[in-house]
Amino acid sequence: MANSFGTKWTFTGFGESHGAAVGGVLDGVPAGLSIDLALIRSELDKRAGRFKDVNDTETRRKRDENETITGVGNCGASPRALREPDEVEWLSGVMSVSGRSERSVSETVCQQSGLSGEAGLITLGTPIAFIIRNKDARPEDYEWLRHTYRTGHADKVYEQKYGIRDWRGGGRASARETAARVVAGCIAKQELAQRGIAVQARLVQVGAETDPDKFAETIETYRREGDSIGGIIECRITGVPAGTGEPVFNKMQAELAFAVMSINACKGFEYGTGFGGVTQPGSAINHISGGIAGGIADGTDIIFRCVFKPTPSTPKALKKLNDQMVNVKMVNRSDACVAVRAVPVVEAMAALALVNLLQE
Amino acid sequence: MANSFGTKWTFTGFGESHGAAVGGVLDGVPAGLSIDLALIRSELDKRAGRFKDVNDTETRRKRDENETITGVGNCGASPRALREPDEVEWLSGVMSVSGRSERSVSETVCQQSGLSGEAGLITLGTPIAFIIRNKDARPEDYEWLRHTYRTGHADKVYEQKYGIRDWRGGGRASARETAARVVAGCIAKQELAQRGIAVQARLVQVGAETDPDKFAETIETYRREGDSIGGIIECRITGVPAGTGEPVFNKMQAELAFAVMSINACKGFEYGTGFGGVTQPGSAINHISGGIAGGIADGTDIIFRCVFKPTPSTPKALKKLNDQMVNVKMVNRSDACVAVRAVPVVEAMAALALVNLLQE
Amino acid sequence: MANSFGTKWTFTGFGESHGAAVGGVLDGVPAGLSIDLALIRSELDKRAGRFKDVNDTETRRKRDENETITGVGNCGASPRALREPDEVEWLSGVMSVSGRSERSVSETVCQQSGLSGEAGLITLGTPIAFIIRNKDARPEDYEWLRHTYRTGHADKVYEQKYGIRDWRGGGRASARETAARVVAGCIAKQELAQRGIAVQARLVQVGAETDPDKFAETIETYRREGDSIGGIIECRITGVPAGTGEPVFNKMQAELAFAVMSINACKGFEYGTGFGGVTQPGSAINHISGGIAGGIADGTDIIFRCVFKPTPSTPKALKKLNDQMVNVKMVNRSDACVAVRAVPVVEAMAALALVNLLQE
Amino acid sequence: MANSFGTKWTFTGFGESHGAAVGGVLDGVPAGLSIDLALIRSELDKRAGRFKDVNDTETRRKRDENETITGVGNCGASPRALREPDEVEWLSGVMSVSGRSERSVSETVCQQSGLSGEAGLITLGTPIAFIIRNKDARPEDYEWLRHTYRTGHADKVYEQKYGIRDWRGGGRASARETAARVVAGCIAKQELAQRGIAVQARLVQVGAETDPDKFAETIETYRREGDSIGGIIECRITGVPAGTGEPVFNKMQAELAFAVMSINACKGFEYGTGFGGVTQPGSAINHISGGIAGGIADGTDIIFRCVFKPTPSTPKALKKLNDQMVNVKMVNRSDACVAVRAVPVVEAMAALALVNLLQE
């Protein structure tokens, strides 16, 4: 069950980075919920680092020539992200709102037929299955990985665990699977929105920098040096009714930590007074709850923070590896700061955790 | 299921702080495992703040007169902890190693009949149920809580959630339930030890202080001012075979975070490079794994840290509350630094999380 | 998790037949539910075969001299059943309705203090733990079982599975654990009753006999021959709202079958047209639903039937075994028709299954 | 989680009868298991009623003109079954054994490229996702169902439960979803075969008929009258090691009953002495175990039986309905005896239940 999350709204993900598709099944969603296709589109774009400036001539050239693209918006996303359209194909659990019995309701079809994103699909109460095909999968780019383990990656432990390994871009261990989490998370947000609950994450620190205006610049500095840097994301959840959550083992903070710590590259989670609070006496901080008391929402905003490490497979690291492996063509497809693209994933996981806690 | 932890070794806890007993059922333990009663005794004493110096005259007097006891060893534990013997009564799932058909194998009986702690009890493969009676429960000490919500406590949210509340010392929300976690954790450690795995937690920071020799002094300073202070615990797990753990949602770090964040007063969890790593470039830290890669143990030591907030119900806080509630007798039974007593609980939860991951 | 049932109201049972106690933890029960102690008393008596006529002189003598007691009411129950008071000790999750902070609220105490069974205890929303001590455990009666496997019993497979075995009366495999199921089932019935749902099981066949007036006589015939006989129980559930239940894998009939087939000695389950319907054409029986369509309640009465095999360890069987094992004192403590005492257990399991389905 | 089965090998099914596809995700399968595509092909054909004689001219004509096809082999399967190729598309969790990085490994591709069915695919240890597209879905055939509830079907309760309903051929309630169960069951059988375990089901009774040579004739009699008839399937499981299974709530018989009773139209389950044993004294039958003692395999063959009701939506029943609804075009696509096609589904569910029990 390592690929399932939640016991009320159960999300089961599947898919290797360079196999046929990544996707998921979301079971437990009530009937009659509208699926906001525009939100899914926008969140998938954020996760992929696809931003507005992707259409200028220079960016297009870089994308086509497999160079890393820079700039404020995309914060150093990899070229693959920009080439993958991430089109969602819906397989079950939904009908088009017109009530006509379309057999396959793909996102594209809905948009073409003039259905607004908001009203395009409605849930049936049965499991919602969807896939995102891996269109830009270039397994040949990873041929060098067949017999190589990258430092800071899961290449080696997967082989130790399974004896067999899909070496192509990390296989199941690749962060590509988070695309499916984002789709499921958007459906969860839809349910939360109906209850007046909003989940909003944002990058609050990149390296030592805490001024958002300077994040792109900081990332670019590391990228230029063939290096990478970590970041901290803060997530605020508003509108959770007091009394939501469970005590003892399934405390809300434990569920949120579990959800967020399952994201690739996440190294820590804190809420309320967090690690910083250790130097403060009880008399000074005993009013700061972070929105949770005894594992249960107290009605104030829930605020947590999580930290993402820098990508380990930087050009610098690959160069070092290459010096030992002459004549191997290594292609780096990674970002300089994965925390940027982790923002919609953190939101998705928090939304999935919450929607489960609301059903208890 | 908020009171159950784990799907292979499933621990189900129960009990209110001032009800008849706290206890638990541990299901999934293989047959033939010896239970180390001496370890359980020692860990329960640590959790309660019962240390060697408890027997000097002055400490006894304080204990009997309900005064907080100070000193290096106990770091400001509450008097209740020192009066509760925390005797474990075993109800099922074990037989005494002599093979004689005792009907009730209490810890005391085992020791009296000359059975060593190590060899006293052996598991049957059936669910192990045990209770620790609340002998020093003084519900009358909490009469004032019947209509009062303490800041920083779960009093209010429990009433919001359940409509009814056992106000006596926090009821189910009290940290007293962690005694049952410690017992279950010791059984888990026994299994881990057989596989060459050790879990070792220690206090590494109290307030701003990082020198262990000065922890007691620091705590005493806050206690004397009627205040409290937080602390950071580091836990090191050695001997976990590479390949242990699951990918995607049940990553080892997610399971450990879930386990540890469920402990009362814990406000944050980090492993490997943690929050501190945010300022370091990938090239400098991509070799630091914290013992886990892609959610799976890589064969090196697993190291995580967690932070505990200061107790909110300090004498200072109570005094403030009292000024608004004249003529109410308030009794404070809390510690100045709960992180001290959280050490065995962190170990217990890590052991339970691990033993579950090893069964996958 | 083999000792837990249900995912919303999770019941975890524990206890060996001749250990300290059998008991259970029921987690997920909402706060504020009254516990009907009189119902629990009455159902435990039915399960044990304790009936009114137990107090006449002859019955008392038999009970004390360990002879099987006969008669209409008890249908051949074993003497142990009549000697065990099955007193429930409540450990957590409940408060006495007076609101006074009793530390231990045992059933007896409630009755002595003039609390009516109906109003005696109220749930707190926290896990309800209770035990029934094994007062009449006579492990010495089972000394002969230490190295013997009984035909038709689980003695041998337990040893094969666990390597170790509590031979005393079947240990965990004994039907004694069903006492704890009955207690939990009564709490579930209380919740069901509030929703207008009733669960009613009754014996409808003993051997070839279908006239209830002749059941006792039939059983007595087999008992007198040192033999045993099976029976069929029918259970009717009224008041379940149409739409209750889940489709596909967790269909209501699958959940009920799972619940009932887990009872010792149960060999079959059917509902609606059942096995008998195989000879009828669709046109004749397609209106008979058994209360369930597509796994979901259709608003009519749910009716299922289940069959219980005859006890295998009859005096006749033991005599045969004894011929091979000279000089071994064998004591038979079993009934001539276990189906009689299975009635309250079937009700309990159906109630637990239903209360879980109602939470989905 | 109503669409998931099993906690070790977790199968999650999805798909509506006339939506884009049915399919599933199977998580927990170890790495390195070969998938027997020929077995999957053969079992899917059995489930669909696709038999050898499908290629004669008369059968082809009937298939194309939507007439029910008769004959020994197919026992009255509906025309849809014969037109649906049920091609499995593999989305994740497998690689082709050649190790080449095909991006999509469909069943067809494997066969075309000369890979034998046996050696075609190998599991990666990651979740295996697959779909079977609904190629012959003719939603227009079900237009009349949009506002009609069929007797003996789940049409009405689905609307009561969800408020919304995919009326096209039963939607999620249709037995079409069992195609996905069959695929998952074949993978489970592969694992069982490696351990020397075989699962073999067969039809043993149709109506009152118990001679297999006369089953086709019996079914044809009912079909000719526009009626339908039930059947009994017996399943024998050989090679299960003694000691397999769990006691108390998850007894092997309870798990098997749960698995089998979840199949559409199944009305009863029995093992060992079953319902028939009720008239036999203990002394005569206490040696018959059905392969299970105390919930645990005893090393002998496990034998269970289950009964399937006749299809409710027969031409006869539809005609009656039609008399009330003039001018509605009703198309019947159902079989005269669903028990025939249930045989591979019973095997699949038993295999999935067993493979889960073996992991405990």
Side-chain angles (χ1 to χ4, degrees):
Chain A
M1 308 242 286
N3 295 282
S4 291
F5 179 88
T7 58
K8 307 293 178 300
W9 280 45
T10 306
F11 174 66
T12 301
F14 58 81
E16 280 70 52
S17 174
H18 291 74
V22 293
V25 185
L26 189 57
D27 194 12
V29 180
L33 187 72
S34 290
I35 292 185
D36 184 340
L37 297 174
L39 177 66
I40 292 175
R41 177 76 281 136
S42 141
E43 291 295 294
L44 283 175
D45 283 348
K46 274 192 217 163
R47 193 209 68 91
R50 278 186 298 269
F51 294 89
K52 299 252 184 292
D53 57 4
V54 77
N55 285 319
D56 68 78
T57 321
E58 176 63 6
T59 305
R60 287 187 170 198
R61 187 196 60 74
K62 285 186 174 173
R63 184 190 63 196
D64 296 342
E65 296 181 11
N66 215 20
E67 288 178 24
T68 297
I69 296 147
T70 61
V72 175
N74 55 56
C75 294
S78 75
R80 177 184 180 184
L82 303 184
R83 280 194 309 262
E84 281 281 14
D86 282 347
E87 190 187 346
V88 181
E89 183 181 354
W90 303 91
L91 298 170
S92 70
V94 294
M95 285 183 92
S96 90
V97 283
S98 70
R100 283 166 307 170
S101 45
E102 278 88 3
R103 286 169 54 194
S104 172
V105 195
S106 83
E107 190 181 356
T108 305
V109 167
C110 282
Q111 287 170 343
Q112 284 174 345
S113 58
L115 296 173
S116 73
E118 196 185 335
L121 297 177
I122 196 160
T123 59
L124 288 169
T126 56
I128 301 168
F130 61 86
I131 55 174
I132 301 172
R133 294 197 178 270
N134 294 321
K135 296 204 171 155
D136 186 52
R138 301 192 178 183
E140 63 278 12
D141 286 2
Y142 294 94
E143 196 57 36
W144 64 276
L145 266 172
R146 202 163 175 161
H147 303 292
T148 308
Y149 305 134
R150 292 166 297 174
T151 307
H153 277 276
D155 301 336
K156 189 174 178 185
V157 293
Y158 261 65
E159 195 137 324
Q160 287 171 316
K161 183 175 184 64
Y162 298 110
I164 190 173
R165 171 171 66 101
D166 184 345
W167 65 87
R168 301 164 299 178
R172 183 76 185 135
S174 159
R176 172 129 186 90
E177 54 92 357
T178 57
R181 302 191 190 204
V182 164
V183 174
C186 285
I187 302 176
K189 281 183 196 171
Q190 206 62 4
E191 172 76 15
L192 294 177
Q194 288 197 353
R195 299 168 180 244
I197 300 169
V199 178
Q200 190 80 43
R202 66 197 173 91
L203 196 62
V204 294
Q205 189 169 337
V206 170
E209 185 60 62
T210 57
D211 176 356
D213 290 346
K214 297 182 180 160
F215 288 166
E217 188 183 328
T218 307
I219 294 168
E220 183 57 17
T221 307
Y222 284 96
R223 195 199 60 74
R224 229 180 284 120
E225 291 168 13
D227 212 334
S228 58
I229 189 70
I232 293 176
I233 291 169
E234 184 176 284
C235 184
R236 178 181 293 262
I237 308 169
T238 55
V240 180
T244 302
E246 293 296 318
V248 193
F249 294 116
N250 294 71
K251 290 190 172 82
M252 184 169 281
Q253 63 270 40
E255 296 285 5
L256 288 170
F258 178 68
V260 169
M261 292 296 299
S262 76
I263 304 171
N264 288 22
C266 180
K267 307 300 276 187
F269 172 95
E270 62 177 16
Y271 82 106
T273 51
F275 279 93
V278 74
T279 55
Q280 300 290 315
S283 57
I285 58 173
N286 73 359
H287 63 286
I288 301 174
S289 72
I292 308 171
I296 297 167
D298 64 12
T300 66
D301 288 0
I302 296 168
I303 299 166
F304 69 80
R305 288 154 47 99
C306 48
V307 63
F308 286 80
K309 71 168 181 178
T311 327
S313 58
T314 56
K316 217 173 190 173
L318 289 183
K319 195 183 167 304
K320 206 165 146 193
L321 196 61
N322 202 28
D323 292 343
Q324 304 159 328
M325 301 173 64
V326 184
N327 293 330
V328 173
K329 188 198 162 212
M330 289 182 180
V331 183
N332 171 39
R333 301 174 63 156
S334 299
D335 319 12
C337 179
V338 291
V340 176
R341 288 169 55 192
V343 172
V345 186
V346 168
E347 275 190 13
M349 292 311 298
L352 284 168
L354 256 178
V355 90
N356 273 285
L357 285 167
L358 284 164
Q359 310 300 317
E360 304 267 359
Chain B
M1 308 244 284
N3 295 282
S4 291
F5 178 89
T7 59
K8 307 296 177 297
W9 280 45
T10 306
F11 173 65
T12 302
F14 58 82
E16 280 69 54
S17 172
H18 291 74
V22 294
V25 186
L26 189 57
D27 194 11
V29 181
L33 187 72
S34 289
I35 293 185
D36 184 341
L37 296 175
L39 177 67
I40 292 175
R41 176 77 279 136
S42 142
E43 291 295 295
L44 282 175
D45 283 349
K46 273 192 219 163
R47 192 209 69 92
R50 278 186 298 268
F51 293 89
K52 298 252 186 288
D53 58 3
V54 77
N55 285 319
D56 67 77
T57 322
E58 176 62 5
T59 303
R60 287 187 171 198
R61 187 195 59 75
K62 284 185 175 173
R63 184 190 64 196
D64 297 340
E65 296 182 10
N66 213 20
E67 288 179 23
T68 296
I69 296 148
T70 62
V72 175
N74 55 55
C75 294
S78 73
R80 177 183 180 185
L82 303 183
R83 279 193 311 261
E84 280 280 15
D86 281 348
E87 190 188 346
V88 180
E89 183 182 354
W90 303 91
L91 297 170
S92 70
V94 294
M95 286 183 91
S96 89
V97 283
S98 71
R100 285 167 306 170
S101 43
E102 279 89 2
R103 287 169 51 196
S104 173
V105 195
S106 82
E107 191 181 355
T108 306
V109 166
C110 282
Q111 287 170 343
Q112 284 174 346
S113 57
L115 296 172
S116 74
E118 197 184 334
L121 296 176
I122 196 160
T123 59
L124 289 169
T126 55
I128 301 167
F130 61 87
I131 55 174
I132 301 173
R133 293 197 177 269
N134 293 321
K135 296 203 173 156
D136 185 52
R138 301 192 178 183
E140 62 277 14
D141 287 2
Y142 295 94
E143 196 56 36
W144 64 277
L145 267 172
R146 202 163 176 162
H147 303 293
T148 308
Y149 306 135
R150 291 166 298 174
T151 306
H153 277 276
D155 301 335
K156 188 174 177 184
V157 292
Y158 261 65
E159 194 138 324
Q160 286 172 317
K161 185 174 183 64
Y162 298 109
I164 191 174
R165 170 171 67 101
D166 185 345
W167 66 86
R168 302 163 300 177
R172 183 77 185 133
S174 159
R176 173 130 184 89
E177 56 90 358
T178 58
R181 302 191 190 205
V182 164
V183 174
C186 285
I187 302 176
K189 281 183 195 171
Q190 207 60 3
E191 172 76 14
L192 295 177
Q194 289 197 353
R195 301 168 179 242
I197 300 169
V199 178
Q200 189 80 43
R202 66 195 173 93
L203 196 61
V204 293
Q205 189 169 335
V206 170
E209 185 58 63
T210 58
D211 177 355
D213 290 346
K214 297 182 181 159
F215 289 167
E217 188 184 327
T218 306
I219 294 167
E220 182 57 18
T221 308
Y222 284 95
R223 196 200 59 73
R224 229 179 285 120
E225 292 169 11
D227 213 333
S228 58
I229 189 71
I232 293 176
I233 291 169
E234 184 175 285
C235 184
R236 177 180 295 260
I237 308 169
T238 56
V240 180
T244 303
E246 294 296 318
V248 193
F249 294 115
N250 295 69
K251 290 189 172 82
M252 184 170 281
Q253 63 269 40
E255 296 284 5
L256 287 170
F258 178 68
V260 169
M261 291 296 299
S262 76
I263 304 171
N264 288 22
C266 181
K267 307 300 275 187
F269 172 95
E270 62 177 17
Y271 83 106
T273 51
F275 279 91
V278 74
T279 56
Q280 300 290 315
S283 57
I285 59 172
N286 73 359
H287 63 286
I288 301 174
S289 72
I292 307 172
I296 297 167
D298 64 12
T300 66
D301 288 359
I302 296 168
I303 299 166
F304 70 80
R305 289 152 48 98
C306 48
V307 62
F308 286 79
K309 71 167 182 179
T311 327
S313 57
T314 56
K316 218 174 188 171
L318 290 183
K319 196 184 166 303
K320 208 165 145 192
L321 197 60
N322 202 26
D323 292 343
Q324 304 160 329
M325 301 173 65
V326 185
N327 293 331
V328 174
K329 188 196 163 215
M330 289 181 179
V331 182
N332 172 39
R333 302 175 61 157
S334 301
D335 319 11
C337 179
V338 291
V340 176
R341 289 168 56 191
V343 171
V345 186
V346 168
E347 275 190 14
M349 293 311 298
L352 284 169
L354 257 177
V355 92
N356 273 284
L357 284 167
L358 284 164
Q359 311 299 319
E360 304 266 358
Chain C
M1 307 241 286
N3 295 282
S4 291
F5 178 88
T7 58
K8 307 296 177 299
W9 280 44
T10 305
F11 174 66
T12 302
F14 58 82
E16 280 71 52
S17 173
H18 292 72
V22 294
V25 185
L26 188 57
D27 194 11
V29 180
L33 188 72
S34 290
I35 293 185
D36 184 342
L37 296 175
L39 176 67
I40 293 175
R41 177 78 278 137
S42 143
E43 291 296 296
L44 283 174
D45 283 349
K46 273 192 217 163
R47 193 209 69 92
R50 277 185 300 267
F51 294 89
K52 298 254 183 290
D53 57 5
V54 76
N55 285 319
D56 67 78
T57 322
E58 177 62 5
T59 304
R60 286 187 171 198
R61 187 196 58 76
K62 285 186 175 171
R63 185 191 60 194
D64 296 342
E65 296 180 12
N66 214 21
E67 289 179 23
T68 296
I69 297 149
T70 62
V72 176
N74 55 55
C75 293
S78 74
R80 177 184 180 182
L82 303 183
R83 281 194 309 263
E84 280 281 15
D86 282 348
E87 190 187 345
V88 181
E89 183 181 354
W90 303 92
L91 297 170
S92 69
V94 293
M95 284 183 93
S96 89
V97 283
S98 70
R100 284 168 305 171
S101 44
E102 277 87 3
R103 286 170 51 196
S104 172
V105 195
S106 84
E107 193 181 352
T108 306
V109 167
C110 283
Q111 286 168 344
Q112 284 175 344
S113 58
L115 296 172
S116 74
E118 196 185 333
L121 297 177
I122 195 160
T123 59
L124 289 169
T126 54
I128 301 168
F130 61 88
I131 56 175
I132 301 173
R133 295 199 176 267
N134 293 322
K135 295 203 173 156
D136 185 51
R138 300 191 179 187
E140 62 279 12
D141 285 4
Y142 294 94
E143 195 56 34
W144 64 277
L145 267 171
R146 200 162 175 164
H147 303 293
T148 309
Y149 306 135
R150 291 165 299 174
T151 307
H153 277 276
D155 300 335
K156 189 174 176 185
V157 294
Y158 262 65
E159 194 137 325
Q160 288 172 315
K161 185 175 183 65
Y162 299 110
I164 189 174
R165 170 171 68 100
D166 183 345
W167 65 87
R168 302 162 300 178
R172 182 79 185 132
S174 159
R176 173 131 184 88
E177 56 91 358
T178 58
R181 302 192 191 203
V182 165
V183 174
C186 285
I187 302 176
K189 281 182 195 171
Q190 208 59 7
E191 171 75 16
L192 295 176
Q194 289 197 353
R195 298 166 180 245
I197 300 170
V199 178
Q200 188 82 42
R202 67 198 173 92
L203 196 62
V204 294
Q205 189 169 336
V206 170
E209 185 58 63
T210 57
D211 176 356
D213 289 346
K214 296 181 181 161
F215 289 166
E217 190 183 326
T218 306
I219 294 168
E220 183 56 17
T221 307
Y222 284 96
R223 194 199 60 74
R224 229 180 284 120
E225 292 169 11
D227 213 334
S228 58
I229 189 69
I232 293 176
I233 291 169
E234 184 176 285
C235 185
R236 178 180 294 262
I237 308 169
T238 55
V240 180
T244 303
E246 293 296 318
V248 194
F249 294 115
N250 294 70
K251 290 189 171 83
M252 185 171 281
Q253 63 269 41
E255 295 284 5
L256 288 170
F258 178 69
V260 168
M261 292 295 299
S262 76
I263 304 172
N264 287 22
C266 182
K267 307 299 277 188
F269 173 95
E270 62 178 17
Y271 83 105
T273 53
F275 279 91
V278 74
T279 56
Q280 300 291 314
S283 57
I285 58 171
N286 73 359
H287 63 287
I288 301 174
S289 71
I292 307 172
I296 297 166
D298 65 11
T300 66
D301 287 1
I302 296 168
I303 299 167
F304 69 81
R305 287 154 49 99
C306 49
V307 63
F308 286 79
K309 71 168 181 177
T311 328
S313 57
T314 57
K316 218 174 189 172
L318 289 184
K319 196 184 165 304
K320 209 166 144 191
L321 196 61
N322 202 27
D323 292 343
Q324 304 161 328
M325 301 174 63
V326 185
N327 294 330
V328 173
K329 189 198 162 212
M330 288 182 178
V331 182
N332 171 38
R333 302 175 63 156
S334 299
D335 319 11
C337 179
V338 291
V340 176
R341 288 169 55 191
V343 172
V345 186
V346 168
E347 275 190 13
M349 292 312 297
L352 284 169
L354 258 178
V355 89
N356 273 284
L357 285 167
L358 284 164
Q359 311 301 318
E360 305 266 357
Chain D
M1 308 241 285
N3 295 282
S4 291
F5 179 87
T7 58
K8 306 296 177 299
W9 280 44
T10 305
F11 173 65
T12 302
F14 57 83
E16 279 72 52
S17 174
H18 290 74
V22 294
V25 184
L26 189 57
D27 193 13
V29 180
L33 187 72
S34 289
I35 292 185
D36 184 340
L37 296 175
L39 176 67
I40 292 174
R41 176 76 281 135
S42 143
E43 291 295 295
L44 282 175
D45 283 349
K46 273 193 217 162
R47 194 209 68 92
R50 279 184 298 268
F51 294 88
K52 298 252 183 289
D53 58 5
V54 77
N55 285 320
D56 67 77
T57 321
E58 177 63 3
T59 305
R60 286 190 172 197
R61 187 195 59 76
K62 283 186 175 171
R63 185 192 61 194
D64 296 342
E65 296 181 11
N66 214 21
E67 289 179 23
T68 297
I69 297 148
T70 63
V72 176
N74 55 55
C75 294
S78 74
R80 177 184 181 185
L82 303 184
R83 280 193 309 262
E84 280 281 13
D86 282 349
E87 190 188 346
V88 180
E89 184 182 353
W90 303 92
L91 297 171
S92 69
V94 294
M95 284 183 92
S96 88
V97 282
S98 69
R100 285 167 306 171
S101 44
E102 279 88 3
R103 287 171 49 197
S104 172
V105 195
S106 84
E107 193 181 353
T108 305
V109 167
C110 282
Q111 287 168 344
Q112 285 175 345
S113 57
L115 296 173
S116 74
E118 196 184 335
L121 296 177
I122 195 160
T123 59
L124 289 169
T126 55
I128 301 168
F130 61 87
I131 56 174
I132 302 173
R133 294 197 177 269
N134 294 321
K135 295 203 173 157
D136 185 52
R138 299 192 179 185
E140 61 279 13
D141 286 3
Y142 294 94
E143 195 58 35
W144 65 276
L145 266 172
R146 201 163 173 163
H147 303 292
T148 308
Y149 306 134
R150 292 165 299 173
T151 307
H153 277 276
D155 300 335
K156 189 174 176 184
V157 293
Y158 261 65
E159 193 137 326
Q160 287 171 315
K161 185 174 182 63
Y162 298 110
I164 192 174
R165 171 171 66 100
D166 184 345
W167 65 87
R168 301 162 299 176
R172 183 81 185 130
S174 159
R176 173 132 184 87
E177 56 91 357
T178 58
R181 301 191 190 204
V182 164
V183 174
C186 285
I187 302 175
K189 282 182 195 172
Q190 207 60 3
E191 171 76 15
L192 295 177
Q194 289 197 354
R195 299 167 180 243
I197 300 170
V199 178
Q200 190 80 42
R202 66 197 173 91
L203 196 62
V204 294
Q205 189 170 335
V206 169
E209 186 59 63
T210 57
D211 177 353
D213 290 347
K214 297 183 180 159
F215 289 167
E217 189 183 326
T218 307
I219 294 168
E220 182 57 18
T221 308
Y222 284 95
R223 195 201 57 75
R224 229 181 286 122
E225 292 168 12
D227 213 334
S228 58
I229 189 68
I232 294 176
I233 291 169
E234 185 175 284
C235 185
R236 178 180 294 263
I237 307 169
T238 56
V240 180
T244 303
E246 293 296 317
V248 193
F249 293 115
N250 294 69
K251 290 190 171 83
M252 184 171 281
Q253 63 270 41
E255 296 284 5
L256 288 170
F258 178 69
V260 169
M261 292 295 300
S262 75
I263 304 171
N264 289 21
C266 181
K267 307 300 276 187
F269 172 96
E270 62 178 17
Y271 83 106
T273 52
F275 279 92
V278 74
T279 56
Q280 301 291 313
S283 56
I285 58 171
N286 74 0
H287 63 286
I288 301 173
S289 72
I292 307 171
I296 297 167
D298 64 12
T300 66
D301 288 359
I302 295 167
I303 299 167
F304 69 81
R305 287 154 48 96
C306 49
V307 62
F308 285 80
K309 70 168 183 179
T311 328
S313 57
T314 57
K316 218 174 190 172
L318 289 183
K319 196 187 165 300
K320 208 166 144 192
L321 197 60
N322 201 28
D323 292 343
Q324 304 161 328
M325 301 174 64
V326 186
N327 293 329
V328 174
K329 188 196 162 213
M330 289 180 180
V331 183
N332 172 37
R333 303 175 62 157
S334 299
D335 318 12
C337 179
V338 291
V340 177
R341 289 169 55 192
V343 172
V345 186
V346 169
E347 275 190 14
M349 292 312 298
L352 284 169
L354 258 177
V355 90
N356 273 284
L357 285 167
L358 284 164
Q359 312 300 318
E360 305 266 359

